[in-house]
Amino acid sequence: MVRSTCIKDAAIAAFGKQLESARRIGIITHTRPDGDAIGSSLAMLRFIRSRYPRVEECRILLDTSLPSSIEFILHEEDCTSIMVAAVLGAEPIGEYIAGCDLLVVLDMNTPSRCGEIESSLRNSKAPKVLIDHHMNPEAELFDPMFSTNELSSTCELLAGVLCALQGSDDIPFECCDPLLTGITTDTNNFANSVFPATLETVSLLLKRGARRDEILYSLYNSYPERRFRLMGRLLDSGLTITENGAAIMVLDSETSEAFGIEEGDTEGFVNIPLGIGRVRLSVFAKQDAGEYRISLRSKPGCSANALAVKYFQGGGHELASGGKIPFGPSVPTKDEILSLIIRYTDEFFQAQS
Ligand code: 5GP
Ligand code: MN
């Protein structure tokens, strides 16, 4: 397999040594984990179990639960190795991390992306390894670090790291479905961020037995009906397109509740308006506890990342980013949020022209 230039021999040797000598490992990924976060965490967990039997304990530590749309990927034995701060509280996870002699951080570039787990991660004295494809990693925290944004996903990068660690392309079968799931979701089913090496990695995973048909069925043909009912409502009467070509959809809690929406049900909504010719940027704002969560997608020439950093306390990738609009005790109306986003995007486009 072609190896990404960010996977250096010395870093692989160092990571291999860390895995050989570790007894308790924590795998950490971002809050509200998506297919890439869960896929990479699970592949890492299963790889450690299969290749490093001297590791006594290895767990995936999550801030919030995985969405039900990704649960299909879990085996029963994985479930006992996952701890969720939103379910157990942050304390037991902090205790687990304090006893770790190695932390592997996946699909996030800074501890501030892992919610309640942030301080335990920052305070830990254990070596921290980063495997990630976001921009601007907090590099001083990690050693070794495998980081590039020239790959589709953390799962693609991890596939390369696993091959390099074992010195062969024989990725264990049980890692293949999680890795393919993350590559599939982060590329929006091979619509974006597909590099020549991405398809080589996928080819390898398919040769090793990854079950692409089952993965696609679980991801894209198993949604609850309420997702499409809400999508219809939003596209019909909840979509604003500004003269500048910013498409904006705002989903408040009242509407979410009326449709019975659960976490994960609106995954990918932000991509839909980009299909409209004159839309350059799509913004999806969803009300959450104390904030509106913001998802941003853009077409080349318009930086979703710059907008996320400047206006939404967030970041991500050049064309796919996220962030938030926090609010205090008085909850803004849907129209107030819409006006605010129109103002931000107008200002953003004006600054560019
Ligand atoms: P999504 O819109 O799918 O939630 O996120 C798109 C991209 O933006 C992902 O790569 C994700 O990691 C990143 N992202 C989402 N929310 C945030 C955030 O609050 N802060 C930062 N730095 N990145 C985010
Ligand atoms: Mn990712």
Side-chain angles (χ1 to χ4, degrees):
M1 185 165 80
V2 180
R3 202 203 274 192
S4 162
T5 51
C6 82
I7 304 176
K8 309 262 190 257
D9 284 342
I12 286 295
F15 187 26
K17 257 194 203 151
Q18 289 168 333
L19 289 166
E20 291 289 351
S21 62
R23 290 294 167 269
R24 188 199 267 196
I25 300 178
I27 296 170
I28 298 175
T29 190
H30 60 81
T31 188
R32 294 186 188 80
D34 57 6
D36 195 29
I38 295 298
S40 56
S41 299
L42 209 52
M44 192 74 242
L45 174 77
R46 293 181 185 173
F47 185 81
I48 291 170
R49 281 216 197 104
S50 105
R51 297 285 194 263
Y52 299 92
R54 280 164 55 197
V55 173
E56 285 156 18
E57 224 180 341
C58 181
R59 293 197 183 182
I60 297 173
L61 311 168
L62 300 176
D63 181 46
T64 52
S65 302
L66 62 164
S68 52
S69 54
I70 306 288
E71 277 172 4
F72 73 92
I73 197 140
L74 297 179
H75 296 162
E76 218 174 296
E77 63 271 21
D78 300 317
C79 298
T80 51
S81 301
I82 298 178
M83 297 173 84
V84 182
V87 176
L88 303 169
E91 219 169 274
I93 295 183
E95 279 166 23
Y96 182 84
I97 290 177
C100 282
D101 41 19
L102 180 62
L103 296 172
V104 183
V105 176
L106 296 162
D107 200 37
M108 62 187 220
N109 53 1
T110 159
S112 59
R113 289 281 291 131
C114 64
E116 298 281 310
I117 300 176
E118 175 177 358
S119 57
S120 308
L121 171 57
R122 282 195 191 277
N123 295 338
S124 161
K125 302 264 185 300
K128 302 167 193 69
V129 180
L130 181 70
I131 305 173
D132 178 53
H133 71 129
H134 291 93
M135 302 159 91
N136 310 319
E138 213 172 303
E140 59 282 5
L141 283 182
F142 302 104
D143 189 19
M145 181 170 89
F146 303 93
S147 167
T148 174
N149 44 53
E150 309 233 314
L151 289 176
S152 64
S153 52
T154 298
C155 280
E156 182 184 345
L157 176 56
L158 180 61
V161 169
L162 301 186
C163 290
L165 276 172
Q166 59 181 16
S168 85
D169 285 356
D170 297 338
I171 296 179
F173 169 71
E174 62 271 26
C175 300
C176 292
D177 281 357
L179 291 172
L180 183 56
T181 298
I183 297 173
T184 303
T185 55
D186 256 30
T187 57
N188 190 16
N189 199 8
F190 299 90
N192 323 113
S193 320
V194 175
F195 297 80
T198 311
L199 296 179
E200 283 191 41
T201 301
V202 170
S203 169
L204 178 68
L205 294 173
L206 293 175
K207 281 185 213 153
R208 301 283 307 152
R211 291 168 290 202
R212 181 159 189 255
D213 289 347
E214 283 83 346
I215 291 168
L216 291 183
Y217 190 90
S218 303
L219 288 174
Y220 303 118
N221 289 346
S222 306
Y223 287 116
E225 182 180 331
R226 57 182 183 263
R227 167 182 165 90
F228 293 92
R229 303 278 174 206
L230 174 66
M231 192 188 283
R233 161 75 73 90
L234 287 174
L235 293 177
D236 181 40
S237 59
L239 174 64
T240 301
I241 306 179
T242 68
E243 285 204 356
N244 284 318
I248 305 163
M249 291 191 284
V250 180
L251 176 61
D252 60 6
S253 294
E254 200 185 324
T255 311
S256 284
E257 278 158 26
F259 281 80
I261 291 304
E262 293 176 14
E263 187 69 36
D265 284 350
T266 56
E267 184 74 39
F269 276 21
V270 65
N271 293 303
I272 302 169
L274 276 192
I276 300 166
R278 74 181 181 92
V279 168
R280 294 194 273 169
L281 167 74
S282 173
V283 185
F284 180 66
K286 185 180 177 199
Q287 189 178 345
D288 203 343
E291 64 187 26
Y292 265 83
R293 300 283 323 153
I294 306 295
S295 277
L296 301 166
R297 299 291 184 274
S298 58
K299 288 179 179 165
C302 172
S303 172
N305 184 65
L307 189 75
V309 170
K310 178 143 192 224
Y311 296 101
F312 300 114
Q313 303 173 32
H317 311 283
E318 183 65 9
L319 305 180
S321 283
K324 60 187 170 189
I325 302 176
F327 51 78
S330 84
V331 179
T333 65
K334 193 165 63 171
D335 287 341
E336 284 167 343
I337 292 293
L338 177 62
S339 304
L340 189 68
I341 298 172
I342 291 175
R343 184 150 65 75
Y344 288 163
T345 52
D346 279 350
E347 193 182 294
F348 178 72
F349 283 124
Q350 265 156 30
Q352 284 194 326
S353 60

